[in-house]
């Protein structure tokens, strides 16, 4: 594969301009690749760091056609992109869409996603389709309580997922999700892990396994390498995680980065969920790897050679989530502590409004001991707040 | 110092939108700081990665006023900025200019720069003002040949500097420079070094000393740490370099990053030149330090806390210079070798035209042994070319 750099460089059209689009923009600059995003929010997070934003809904045909006309390749940074429309625009314009819209379609529907992975022999928690409260109760009798009830479509950052402790909670849970759902058997995992995989033109690769820590179904911290006791245990668990990730990548169609979330339970690896895009659990690669997941995604979708994925050193990230009770203009205080810290970096997403538990930024720290790093990164994150006092 | 992050963030107005402006833009995104540049070239290198470009000459009063109206702080990435105009616009608008225009004025004129540093007791090579060929010959008799003849203003990347071997070359050299010049005694240096210094709100700091390698007066490679034999020698030389850098920073007015170029000769340190901005010899900090010189400049001029400046690991950079005989549209071939290399990164500046010896990008490699890294980085750089064959 031979690559020529030109000026202006090739243009990547991205459906979505949230924080992932912003970090794609930050990564594309050094490669000489220009980015145009399609996003409904004027001045979306990506806007200040990319060549241009087209203001339009993710499913707006005219917006997507305009994006395709300006782009050499199309990709998406949000599952709300419309696979049918992407296929239509691809057929109309000939502009490649990576990863494949068919993969997006499969992943968008969590039930279809799980079925296709299970059929491919990838180990997943037991699951059932449930469309009403009766089916939910039936699934509970079959799989045992508690269960994880998930909306098939549109959930993210904890929305669309409800843990159901027992049959007496079924009504409330189903009302919250609203039908068209699935359940999964509860997995008493020892640890949650993530592998960021990538499919290139004719090769696949993975970034090192990373531990993920969730609370209320929202990712809070990542620890890379994961804190698995003993080098033998570690390498064996990691090998199994790479095996599952590799099997998953074989099922995906189209180039790009995939976030592969895993459960580690009794030394076994189960697949949790897949995202066909850069993933929050891979933000550590910005400082922690020579090639970040964002640079890797840009390289992959453009058909360029993939970059090296080694871990430079132990790296921990912690999300800065909205800690307010209500929506209000975003104003983060206490930032001087993070800015002044050694071997730590701040990433601010530029969202105009803070909302409860909204992902507003993240803090990364590099060092040696993962436990110490995790404590340090949590302390740094705790030093910032969206809650303001009235003191001068 | 307390820092609040908001959306939209504060805006930094930058005079100049070349590669330094581009890398400032790439560094500002994660901090939530927006950048607007003033540059005469439409679609200048910074343009795709910053919020906006105002197209105008560096000395265009209307352009600079517009920049000031949109900015919370003004800075410059090129010495061709106009200090008088910056002062006027600062007085008119109240927008701070960092570093101080008076420092820019002093540095712009190499003779005034050297005089002020010499007066402050900073060790510099012997120098004389020379306005014509007679004065040049006189200086040669006094200081000995060869001499370095330098235009007082406007030189960069080797332009405006001519080595003069003896009196018989004086006419040609003076004709090339065109009067209004200075000469410096030739320094038989053992090594050239660079320290990137920074002045913050109430503190100064330095990045680790770096070796610089020039050819035809143009920086080719940087090696950090410098290859100084023996740990004792190294720490002593480094200490002296930091002492000189610290004395230089004391003479500078205003916040920001300063590139401080040094000669090491017989264990002594002499100051060569200063740049009141991020400098080519500091590009290694993007991968080699937790805080890059670009992030550091943004932090400093905004009045934010400075970041940590430790070297993460040995880091070498090599410039990708125009290797064509004439100007033509920029098209770099062979890039797959750099993209596929482990622990190496490409930085493309997005200039539309390649010209002989023009700085078009750079390659960075990280590792352990500086000598091996230098060889590797040179090999990577040599794998790319602007010369195209007619082969398919």
């Amino acid at each position: 594969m031979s690559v020529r750099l030109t000026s202006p460089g090739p243009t990547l059209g991205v459906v979505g301009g949230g924080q992932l689009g912003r970090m794609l923009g930050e990564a594309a600059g050094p490669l000489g690749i220009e980015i145009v995003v399609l996003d409904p929010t004027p001045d979306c997070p990506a806007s200040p760091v990319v060549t241009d934003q087209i203001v339009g809904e993710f499913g707006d045909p005219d917006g997507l056609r305009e994006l395709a006309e300006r782009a050499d390749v199309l990709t998406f940074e949000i599952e709300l992109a419309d696979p049918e429309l992407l296929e239509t625009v691809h057929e109309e314009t000939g502009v490649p869409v990576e990863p494949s819209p068919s993969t997006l379609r499969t992943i968008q529907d969590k039930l279809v996603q799980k079925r296709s992975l299970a059929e491919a022999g990838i180990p997943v928690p037991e699951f059932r389709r449930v469309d009403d409260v009766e089916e939910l109760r039936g699934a509970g009798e079959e799989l045992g309580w508690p269960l994880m009830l998930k909306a098939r479509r549109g959930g993210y950052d904890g929305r669309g997922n409800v843990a159901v402790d027992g049959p007496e909670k079924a009504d409330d849970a189903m009302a919250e999700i609203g039908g068209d759902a699935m359940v999964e058997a509860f997995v008493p995992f020892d640890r949650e892990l993530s592998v960021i995989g990538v499919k290139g033109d004719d090769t696949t690769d993975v970034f090192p396994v990373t531990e993920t820590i969730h609370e209320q179904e929202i990712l809070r911290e990542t620890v890379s390498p994961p804190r698995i006791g003993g080098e033998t245990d570690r390498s064996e668990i990691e090998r199994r995680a790479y095996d599952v990730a590799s099997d998953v990548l074989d099922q995906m169609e189209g180039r790009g980065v995939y976030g592969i979330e895993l459960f580690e339970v009794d030394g076994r690896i189960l697949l949790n969920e897949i995202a066909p895009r850069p993933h929050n659990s891979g933000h550590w690669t910005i400082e922690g790897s020579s090639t970040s997941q964002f640079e890797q995604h840009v390289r992959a979708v453009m058909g360029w050679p993939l970059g090296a994925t080694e871990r430079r050193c132990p790296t921990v990230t912690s999300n800065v989530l909205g800690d307010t009770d209500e929506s209000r203009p975003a104003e983060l205080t206490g930032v001087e502590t993070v800015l002044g810290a050694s071997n730590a970096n701040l990433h601010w997403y530029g969202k105009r409004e803070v909302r409860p538990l909204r992902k507003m930024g993240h803090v990364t720290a590099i060092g040696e001991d993962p436990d110490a790093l995790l404590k340090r990164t949590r302390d740094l994150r705790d030093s910032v707040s969206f809650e303001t006092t009235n003191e001068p």
Side-chain angles (χ1 to χ4, degrees), chain A residues 9-307:
Chain A
T11 297
L12 176 58
V14 183
V15 179
Q19 69 263 29
L20 301 177
R22 184 178 177 112
M23 290 184 274
L24 285 172
E26 290 162 2
L31 298 177
I33 290 169
E34 301 203 1
I35 285 191
V36 178
V37 300
L38 170 67
D39 195 284
T41 307
D43 298 317
C44 67
S47 160
V49 304
V50 298
T51 301
D52 215 349
Q53 173 185 3
I54 298 167
V55 178
E57 300 294 328
F58 307 129
D60 171 25
D62 291 339
L64 192 62
R65 281 193 191 96
E66 188 186 340
L67 190 68
E69 276 158 22
R70 298 184 59 177
D72 298 286
V73 175
L74 288 176
T75 190
F76 41 87
E77 56 94 85
I78 186 159
E79 279 94 331
L80 295 174
D82 181 337
E84 282 69 36
L85 185 59
L86 284 166
E87 274 165 355
T88 303
V89 169
H90 165 61
E91 280 157 24
E92 285 173 9
T93 62
V95 177
V97 180
E98 304 289 348
S100 153
S102 67
T103 291
L104 173 61
R105 187 185 296 113
T106 301
I107 288 180
Q108 268 180 342
D109 183 327
K110 290 184 180 180
L111 179 65
V112 175
Q113 181 191 142
K114 274 277 149 59
R115 275 187 188 151
S116 75
L117 294 167
E119 279 166 18
I122 291 162
V124 296
E126 285 214 84
F127 65 95
R128 295 287 183 277
R129 173 176 176 163
V130 292
D131 286 332
D132 56 38
V133 74
E134 283 314 306
E135 291 180 358
L136 173 56
R137 288 212 184 87
E141 283 169 31
E142 208 184 340
L143 304 177
W145 304 96
L147 284 175
M148 183 61 77
L149 180 66
K150 295 181 172 183
R152 284 172 60 182
R153 298 168 163 278
Y156 72 100
D157 285 356
R159 272 177 272 192
N161 280 11
V162 180
V164 194
D165 293 336
E168 72 287 359
K169 300 287 178 67
D171 279 308
D172 284 355
M174 207 65 201
E176 189 175 334
I177 294 297
D180 203 18
M182 64 175 292
V183 286
E184 283 180 10
F186 178 76
V187 177
F189 58 79
D190 298 309
R191 209 170 275 104
E192 289 186 273
L193 300 173
S194 155
V195 172
I196 303 296
V198 56
K199 286 180 80 109
D201 211 24
D202 48 13
T203 176
T204 66
D205 202 356
V206 291
F207 285 90
V209 185
T210 296
E211 176 182 352
T212 58
I213 301 171
H214 293 79
E215 228 173 277
Q216 295 172 275
E217 306 292 309
I218 299 175
L219 183 70
R220 304 301 171 113
E221 291 108 5
T222 68
V223 183
S224 196
R227 296 167 300 161
I228 304 173
E231 277 307 313
T232 317
D233 279 7
R234 173 201 301 284
S235 61
E236 181 57 23
I237 296 287
E238 287 181 343
R239 193 188 58 72
R240 291 177 190 170
Y242 293 131
D243 283 348
V244 171
S246 169
D247 290 344
V248 167
L249 289 174
D250 284 346
Q251 298 302 312
M252 302 293 113
E253 279 175 36
R255 301 190 302 251
V257 153
Y258 295 85
I260 302 168
E261 296 185 273
L262 305 167
F263 295 119
E264 176 201 338
V265 50
D266 290 335
R268 290 182 311 133
I269 297 292
L270 295 180
L271 180 83
N272 180 7
E273 283 185 10
I274 304 170
R277 52 165 173 80
H279 189 262
N280 194 168
S281 62
H283 293 356
W284 68 272
T285 57
I286 297 173
E287 287 84 6
S289 173
S290 266
T291 314
S292 76
Q293 67 165 346
F294 299 102
E295 177 174 341
Q296 195 74 301
H297 187 70
V298 171
R299 287 168 174 250
V301 299
M302 298 307 290
W304 285 17
L306 301 181

